Amino acid sequence: MGQDPVQANLAKLSLNFMIYSTIEQMAEVFALNEKAGTDPHRIFEIMTGSFYNAPVHKNYGKLMVDHEYDHPGAPVTLGLKDMEMFLKAGGEHAVPLPYASVVRDRLLSAISAGDAGRDFVVLLERARQDSGLK
């Protein structure tokens, strides 16, 4: 990334943001389809069997539809730290980051719900809760 470690750190935070925002997208898709009566596992199969078959979709999506939140590869608190640092960098460079704010708020909701130590794919539960699912 160059000689300045700040650039490498920002690149890492940027790529982590892409993971978190992808998880938020999948959380909303799974919650909506579940609320409409479609098994999230079926949506996952269609998703990963078509255009969305990258590892981020396959790996995190499977954890989400199987509700595997309790063996964190990365806990919610780490995601929040990353998003706060990413948003701070945006502020320092006068770059609006509205989706990063959404992800940060979803992570804060997860912490408020007692999910701080769970894997950050638990964001699905916040989307499910917002949709009225139990």
Side-chain angles (χ1 to χ4, degrees):
M1 291 306 304
Q3 298 298 316
D4 187 354
V6 172
Q7 291 174 316
N9 189 45
L10 185 56
K12 178 192 175 293
L13 291 172
S14 297
L15 297 176
N16 285 353
F17 164 67
M18 292 178 71
I19 292 171
Y20 301 132
S21 60
T22 299
I23 288 170
E24 174 63 21
Q25 290 173 352
M26 288 190 293
E28 293 177 19
V29 165
F30 294 146
L32 173 61
N33 281 276
E34 182 181 355
K35 183 85 185 245
T38 303
D39 182 353
H41 287 90
R42 183 69 182 125
I43 297 302
F44 172 75
E45 290 170 14
I46 294 167
M47 177 182 77
T48 58
S50 63
F51 293 110
Y52 301 99
N53 61 2
V56 70
H57 297 103
K58 288 182 178 180
N59 299 337
Y60 291 122
K62 179 144 179 49
L63 290 172
M64 294 168 80
V65 298
D66 289 343
H67 304 277
E68 293 289 333
Y69 312 132
D70 293 319
H71 304 288
V76 171
T77 52
L78 179 62
L80 181 60
K81 177 191 68 77
D82 283 354
M83 285 304 88
E84 288 177 340
M85 292 171 65
F86 188 66
L87 285 162
K88 182 178 181 210
E92 289 170 358
H93 295 281
V95 176
L97 301 168
Y99 291 132
S101 295
V102 169
V103 173
R104 182 213 45 224
D105 290 350
R106 188 70 86 185
L107 291 163
L108 284 170
S109 290
I111 290 169
S112 294
D115 292 330
R118 298 177 96 186
D119 194 284
F120 54 69
V121 297
V122 77
L123 294 185
L124 173 58
E125 292 308 308
R126 303 292 63 79
R128 292 180 78 246
Q129 180 182 15
D130 287 353
S131 70
L133 290 165
K134 301 286 184 216

